[in-house]
Amino acid sequence: MRHLLSLTHPIHLVGGHTIWGIWFIAIYGGLSVACSVAPPAPGRDTLTGINVAVGVSTLATAALLVWLTWACVRASRRAGVRRERFFGLVSAGNYLFAVGATLFVGYPAVFLPPCL
Amino acid sequence: MSDTKDASLTPDTRQLHEGLARVWANPRGLGALTVVNHTTLGLRFMATGAVFFLIGGLLAMLIRTQLAFPDNNFMSNETYNQVFTMHGTVMMFLFAIPILEGLAIYMIPKMIGARDLVCPRLTAFGYFCYLFGGIILTASLFLDMAPSSGWFMYTPLSSGEYSPGSGSDFWLLGITFVEISALSAGVELVVSILRTRTEGMALHKMPLFAWYILAMALMIVVGFPPLILGSILLELERATGMPFFDPAGGGDPVLWAHLFWLFGHPEVYIIFLPGAGIVATLIPVFARRPIVGYGWVVAAIVIMGFVSFGLWVHHMFTLGIPQLATAFFSAASMLVAIPTGIQLFVWLSTLWLGRPIMSLPMLWILGFLVIFVLGGLTGVMLALVPFNWQVHDTHFVVAHMHYVLVGGMLFPLLAGLYYWLPQVSGRMPSERLGKWSFWLIFLGFNLTFLIMHWTGLLGMRRRVFTYDTAMGWDIYNLISSIGGFMMAGGVALLIIDVALHFRFGKPAPQNPWNADGLEWAMPKPPTPYNFVSLPRLETRNPLWDVPELPRTLLEGRHGLATIDHGRRETWGSDPLTGKLREVVHLPTNSWWPLLAALSLAVVCISLLVRLYPLAAVATLIAVGFLLRWSWENGAHPKAAPDATVAPGQPPLHSRTMNGPGVWTMSVSHLANGSLYLSLLFGWFYLWTVAPEWRMPETSPLSMPLLVAAGLALTLGVLLLAKLVRRLRRRHDAGLRAGMNVAAALGALQSTLLIGVVWLAELAPTESAHDATLLVALLYVLIHALLGALLCLLQGLRVGYGFVSAEVPLEPVVVLRLWYYNLVVYWSLFVAIWVIPTVLGGAP
Amino acid sequence: MLRWVLGGGVLLPVLSIVALLIFAAPTGRGMLPLPLATTDPERIEVIGHQWWWEVRYPGEEGEPDVVTANRLVMPAGEPVDFRVTSEDVIHAFWIPRLGGKRDMVPGRFSTIRLEADAPGVFGGQCAEFCGAQHTGMQLHVEALERDDYDAWLDERRAPRESIEKGDAARAFGEHCAACHRVAGFPDELVVDDTEHDIKGPDLSDIGSRPTLGAGVLPMEEGAIAYWLQFHQMLKPGNRMPPHNHIETETLQDIGAWLETLAP
């Protein structure tokens, strides 16, 4: 199992998107639940706890993914085997994409009210 | 080239060829039904898919005839609704997916240097499920009972109240049957690609096509179960009145939309990825240089595979979901442009940096590039919520979807057809007929669908059976119809070309396109065993780097070139490095797959005509056949009773603890887990969203019994884990007794669960809450029974000596099932008992 | 090579989608039913049925709703909130000239805000496939000046004179009234012997509507009687049972009487 944790293992090809996917499900599901349990008044527009929660989770997830991107690049630089360099680098690319994807998907929380 | 009779071969080699031919022979006559070979079954898949393509195409021509003129009386509205529903259904489920799977089944072992897929009998089973499901579904057309609610079958339109006939049942049962085939192919493709690549073919050295198929197969494994669950629930609602989708009973029709599109959007990429795989295979060959940016493509494939699961709600933008939620999906939909862009520019730069030559397959690739880019552009437009609200459900969407699917799938498929035809038949198709058919299809397609964007923007809704001349759509529809018939003419030419080439085509040279792929290194037409010997490869372009490979393979100068053991064998290798790990012995021709699929067909038909007792009996028979099939395994006389291998070779896989079977079980549980998560999703979704959901104050389920059942399961897992640990140390004393005790624990768990259901006094036809609980409990009950049954059989097999310390693989596989049951059981306990009890009944 | 892939494959799509998002964001926001600064917008309820439209103008407290069918009259020059739902299957409410569509889901209400800039007549149609007569589910939309709109609504809000118990009314009560409501129709004439519980369009102001059968026929003299005789040919599969068992003269009487129903 230990080699799965190494950042040059191909499992990290899917790591970024797995984190992104879990975050995505969490904000979508959380939004639905929050809107059915405690919908804020429409007059509050985007100034709601829901928007803040989406925003904070977006930034936190993006930060985690940025760190993983950097860690993968570093691991790839250090790796001795060509295969490990390859997977480290491609994984880093995928983590980077996940960073962008997180920010891009979370961004509408800035200008849209949550439950309308 | 009739290579096996090549005079220059030594007598030893000739003997090897004859031995291989004998062991791998496909029986003829009635015995042809027992064939399990991937080459034969891949061709059967593709031929059957082609027949369904023609049926779907015929339906398309009927649609275009009806819409050619305003107020046309060619078809009644009822017939038209059946026709367009079946056109979509046949093209999606009976043509696109199976034919691509057929291509993968045919091609993957040849590309990765294997002799067959890892579960040959499963291939055969999948084929028969597909064939029977397809026949049942299309039969509805001839019985005038075809489904007529559109290919995404929105409830309540497809429910018992608004579609009282058998149409929806044909769809739900037939499609689920066909999906069994998709799933089985998906599972074995994943395991084959990961575990049976030839020696030295590390993960980052395998052909891009294999990456694409790996992604497609994993997406099938994860993406199909939501629809299977949805179909089961809807069929239960139709047959027994459980109100999963009926708001009055606490259900919600939008749950169906979620489950359908949770499958339906990934489906588009499941179809596109293999198409892109063909493109990525052909472009380097005709650009005469290796692909640039292999790593970029791998990254793009992974990105696409994941992001495509984050898009499903963009089919539901108009359903009244909060705009912030739709914005998430809108943004995610636009993100797909990036991996698509990467692939597109990788292909373009490969062409740019290479020395491209024009040929018939290349013509189709260029057609693909044009059409698919246009489809992608309208796709980005549709991802925008405001624009989507305007054109959703109009002919604009119809046009977009055909650009994506025909561009992304049909054009690459036809490119692949012309490219690989010589590999299949050993003959070259006609250049002239091929060009004619390309231009007819290409121009006809654009005439039909480019215009249709405009018709849609003018407000023409999809699925209307006629329109008023006052709307001003006449000329556009007429042009679309003319284009449609042009395309049909092109398809007819194509069929003629392919049919003629088998007889009149010029014999093809060994490597007619000067390709790099391993599939060109074997005799043409291919022998059932693909390669006489399996090469050690450490290059992405085998035939460019080792041009003498066809010759040396044939002379048996590489690995696994023995046959005196009489087994069908291929390499089992490390998924990462491609180092050899075991010799995989493959099962031979068998009647069991056919019999199992036939009895499932009886189940399907008896459910259709509502003969439920017969369905129950046929289900038992099917389970019996499946278990009997599994009996011929391990050290069974029909499998591998004798474990001797040639000196220096790794052991037989059944003599190890981590053979491909363990992987197959794990990947199957990926599918199973996706089904389970969909069920959990349904439970929480209805709970939080359905307007009339009623949650009782206290859970109707007996906590002590639930916990007791869970403890029995947990004990069983602990016991099995201990048995496996002992096997790892080569101890099998007490194995049989242990298996029997585990079976008893499984039986105890099942009995307790039956008690839970009994005592709960659920009213599943009155409330969606009770209905969902019942389905969840039945799900764990079925798994508990299966776990018990498999342990019982293991005990018997230990008695017969098929399983022992020397043949330890099967208990490891069974343990995986029990682990799965453990996780599912306790998480379900939390979901249906703990959380409702803690939160209390919903208001 | 890297330049190509990076520039064309990454940079180009990223720039395009960011530009699109910037463009789409304000557009999408403008379509939200946010509270207005000054007054509440006009609210109209539209309910989908197989295969016709029920349109309701909610009354003030204690006041009954104004109900009509297959014709939507709305004020022009101001935003209107349409609250949509369905009685049976999923339909979609769409007036192409006014903007986007919204699905009508049974058991749920959802609101879409539309605005007609100027008075005029528009076509509306069901956009989500809803069964046999999806094609024949059209809506006639009229946007009126605010004053005209108020007048139109007041006419229909005014209490109805009770209806004379003539032969035609009796025939209507016997054959039609179980499914079709007419404001002010005497209860004692209603014969409810149907097994099905399908709701038909409210006919209180049918004489003033521009179309019949949800856009299948234009309204003109004799059109209703024609429709009553041949509706299963004009709109095959519609939910109204065939009238073969009723004398043609009776149908003509009912038709002529219905044409008089207008505020």
Side-chain angles (χ1 to χ4, degrees), chain B residues 252 318 390 392-393 461 689, chain C residues 99 101 103 108 126 128 135:
Chain B
D252 187 2
T318 63
Q390 187 61 24
H392 178 68
D393 275 333
R461 300 166 285 162
V689 175
Chain C
K101 55 183 72 69
D103 289 358
R108 291 178 171 215
C126 173
E128 184 65 61
T135 309

Side-chain angles (χ1 to χ4, degrees), chain B residues 276-486:
Chain B
I278 297 171
V279 177
T281 309
L282 266 60
I283 282 194
V285 171
F286 292 105
R288 294 189 284 172
R289 61 151 294 148
I291 194 131
V292 300
Y294 179 95
W296 285 90
V297 179
V298 172
I301 295 169
V302 176
I303 293 173
M304 237 178 189
F306 270 84
V307 174
S308 68
F309 280 93
L311 313 184
W312 82 93
V313 170
H314 84 208
H315 298 265
M316 303 158 63
F317 279 167
T318 63
L319 265 167
I321 293 164
Q323 214 191 33
L324 181 57
T326 60
F328 297 152
F329 287 92
S330 170
S333 310
M334 289 193 257
L335 285 173
V336 179
I338 298 173
T340 318
I342 292 175
Q343 292 174 75
L344 197 66
F345 279 87
V346 163
W347 297 329
L348 290 180
S349 32
T350 305
L351 285 174
W352 182 258
L353 297 172
R355 295 164 294 129
I357 41 169
M358 202 54 203
S359 67
L360 205 47
M362 238 357 236
L363 199 58
W364 287 100
I365 296 283
L366 295 180
F368 150 82
L369 288 173
V370 172
I371 291 176
F372 184 72
V373 166
L374 285 172
L377 290 179
T378 50
V380 174
M381 290 160 77
L382 281 168
L384 295 170
V385 177
F387 185 77
N388 184 294
W389 281 7
Q390 187 61 24
V391 298
H392 178 68
D393 275 333
T394 66
H395 270 75
F396 186 91
V397 170
V398 179
H400 157 72
M401 154 178 103
H402 283 87
Y403 263 84
V404 172
L405 294 175
V406 174
M409 181 264 172
L410 187 67
F411 273 68
L413 186 73
L414 295 178
L417 173 75
Y418 276 107
Y419 176 72
W420 279 306
L421 212 47
Q423 202 276 348
V424 175
S425 66
R427 288 172 185 275
M428 303 298 283
S430 143
E431 189 89 0
R432 180 183 297 179
L433 272 178
K435 273 190 181 148
W436 269 95
S437 103
F438 169 80
W439 284 110
L440 276 176
I441 292 180
F442 182 78
L443 293 176
F445 173 82
N446 282 295
L447 211 54
T448 312
F449 293 104
L450 201 61
I451 305 295
M452 203 181 275
H453 288 104
W454 185 244
T455 327
L457 287 175
L458 286 177
M460 183 161 171
R461 300 166 285 162
R462 69 195 284 196
R463 301 174 168 183
V464 291
F465 73 98
T466 190
Y467 52 94
D468 196 289
T469 183
M471 304 307 295
W473 303 332
D474 304 11
I475 185 69
Y476 308 113
N477 275 297
L478 185 61
I479 294 174
S480 283
S481 295
I482 292 170
F485 282 97
M486 251 174 93

Side-chain angles (χ1 to χ4, degrees), chain A residues 1 5 24 29 31 51 60 76 94-95 104 113 116:
Chain A
M1 287 313 274
L5 291 175
F24 190 87
L31 180 70
N51 289 63
S76 154
N94 281 356
Y95 278 117
F104 197 70
L116 284 178

Side-chain angles (χ1 to χ4, degrees), chain C residues 2 39 100 117 136 150 170 193 239 261:
Chain C
L2 191 69
T39 53
D117 294 334
D150 286 338
R170 281 179 201 286
D193 59 354
R239 293 281 188 213
L261 293 182

Side-chain angles (χ1 to χ4, degrees), chain B residues 118-344:
Chain B
V118 77
C119 318
R121 289 186 180 177
L122 194 62
T123 326
F125 176 69
Y127 174 72
F128 288 121
C129 287
Y130 163 48
L131 181 68
F132 297 150
I135 290 176
I136 290 173
L137 195 56
T138 35
S140 69
L141 265 178
F142 299 99
L143 301 170
D144 199 22
M145 289 200 277
S148 61
S149 326
W151 81 276
F152 38 83
M153 293 288 287
Y154 271 5
T155 56
L157 183 58
S158 58
S159 69
E161 191 176 350
Y162 300 103
S163 294
S166 297
S168 302
D169 302 318
F170 269 105
W171 195 96
L172 295 166
L173 296 166
I175 291 300
T176 305
F177 202 14
V178 173
E179 279 171 344
I180 296 175
S181 129
L183 275 179
S184 58
V187 169
E188 71 167 335
L189 283 169
V190 171
V191 181
S192 297
I193 293 173
L194 288 178
R195 287 292 270 108
T196 64
R197 296 193 306 270
T198 193
E199 187 180 4
M201 191 186 274
L203 197 58
H204 68 300
K205 291 279 159 84
M206 70 179 186
L208 274 179
F209 188 76
W211 275 105
Y212 278 103
I213 296 300
L214 180 63
M216 168 196 92
L218 280 169
M219 287 176 70
I220 287 178
V221 165
V222 180
F224 274 51
L227 179 58
I228 294 182
L229 177 77
S231 303
I232 293 173
L233 297 186
L234 184 51
E235 188 54 37
L236 279 174
E237 177 175 305
R238 289 178 57 88
T240 67
M242 297 186 187
F244 298 105
F245 307 108
D246 177 8
D252 187 2
V254 179
L255 175 62
W256 169 267
H258 276 294
L259 290 175
F260 186 88
W261 291 117
L262 215 53
F263 145 83
H265 199 84
E267 148 104 349
V268 177
Y269 292 85
I270 290 171
I271 291 173
F272 168 67
L273 282 173
I278 297 171
V279 177
T281 309
L282 266 60
I283 282 194
V285 171
F286 292 105
R288 294 189 284 172
R289 61 151 294 148
I291 194 131
V292 300
Y294 179 95
W296 285 90
V297 179
V298 172
I301 295 169
V302 176
I303 293 173
M304 237 178 189
F306 270 84
V307 174
S308 68
F309 280 93
L311 313 184
W312 82 93
V313 170
H314 84 208
H315 298 265
M316 303 158 63
F317 279 167
T318 63
L319 265 167
I321 293 164
Q323 214 191 33
L324 181 57
T326 60
F328 297 152
F329 287 92
S330 170
S333 310
M334 289 193 257
L335 285 173
V336 179
I338 298 173
T340 318
I342 292 175
Q343 292 174 75
L344 197 66

